[in-house]
Amino acid sequence: MGSSTLLKWASKPCIMGIDEAGRGPVLGPMVYGCLYCPLSYQNTLVTLKFADSKTLKEEKREELFENLKADTSIGWEVDVISPRELSAKMLKKEKINLNEISHNSAIGLVRRVLGMGVLLSEVFVDTVGDTEKYSTKLSELFPGVKFLVAKRADSLYPVVSGASIVAKELLCREQTSVELHSHTHKL
């Protein structure tokens, strides 16, 4: 979902932030989002006024999402995990708990972005579960990437704040789509 100009900066060191939306009540989908950009763009991210999506009014969040989509120095991806998939994983004989589902989603996003040829040097992640164990797990899977896993990373690091906005906006759009789809079936 990133921009077509990605190749202009993908081979330079890049940072990425990862955050989720919809984990709380788990009544709808859970969306993991990531935002990535050149390391050299990190100071500019601060000026874009990204914030934890939970602290933003809907209109401001939508405006920031449109701004980041138009910014050719930013790329983003999402992983939408449907309620059906969440239930199936958590209820199967060899259960997969919500933390493991979350970790797998974040790992999948890192793999996807690396697979696109983006040179990730640092990844900032809003923690799920034990911070140290999660950081070790990610570092072992991706030894060439530095990971910073922190509580409230979405309010501490602009790259994670941007990922928070991506995740929340796609969650809202996914829920609206489900509501519209459900409404259509009622007609």
Side-chain angles (χ1 to χ4, degrees):
M1 299 221 176
S3 67
S4 59
T5 57
L6 173 68
L7 297 176
K8 290 182 180 179
W9 49 263
S11 61
K12 296 177 182 164
C14 294
I15 60 170
M16 182 166 87
I18 301 174
D19 196 21
E20 52 70 36
R23 181 179 163 91
V26 191
L27 295 173
M30 184 167 66
V31 177
Y32 261 77
C34 72
L35 183 130
Y36 52 95
C37 65
L39 181 59
S40 61
Y41 198 68
Q42 193 168 15
N43 290 336
T44 304
L45 280 180
V46 175
T47 68
L48 300 179
K49 306 275 191 244
F50 291 159
D52 175 3
S53 65
K54 293 181 287 299
T55 67
L56 299 171
K57 293 185 185 231
E58 184 177 354
E59 299 79 23
K60 183 63 175 175
R61 192 184 63 238
E62 289 172 356
E63 174 189 327
L64 290 170
F65 183 61
E66 292 305 317
N67 291 346
L68 76 84
K69 286 188 337 186
D71 191 325
T72 59
S73 294
I74 294 175
W76 56 276
E77 296 290 326
V78 294
D79 181 26
V80 179
I81 308 163
S82 71
R84 181 174 289 168
E85 182 180 351
L86 287 168
S87 295
K89 287 178 177 181
M90 294 174 75
L91 297 174
K92 64 192 250 180
K93 190 172 186 175
E94 296 206 19
K95 296 171 181 21
I96 303 174
N97 70 37
L98 197 53
N99 284 357
E100 191 68 23
I101 294 168
S102 296
H103 291 183
N104 290 341
S105 183
I107 290 164
L109 287 170
V110 173
R111 281 192 177 123
R112 187 184 316 166
V113 172
L114 286 171
M116 293 168 22
V118 177
L119 179 60
L120 290 178
S121 60
E122 295 179 69
V123 177
F124 300 79
V125 185
D126 199 23
T127 195
V128 174
D130 183 277
T131 303
E132 210 168 297
K133 286 181 184 177
Y134 192 17
S135 181
T136 299
K137 179 180 189 175
L138 291 168
S139 295
E140 287 174 356
L141 285 169
F142 307 100
V145 179
K146 179 183 172 188
F147 285 90
L148 195 149
V149 179
K151 290 181 180 175
R152 307 277 306 133
D154 51 357
S155 60
L156 298 173
Y157 306 102
V159 72
V160 182
S161 301
S164 174
I165 291 166
V166 168
K168 185 69 170 181
E169 273 303 298
L170 273 288
L171 173 68
C172 290
R173 291 168 191 219
E174 188 73 21
Q175 288 174 329
T176 301
S177 172
V178 168
E179 289 168 11
L180 291 174
H181 185 67
S182 298
H183 182 71
T184 303
H185 287 304
K186 292 178 183 177
L187 295 177

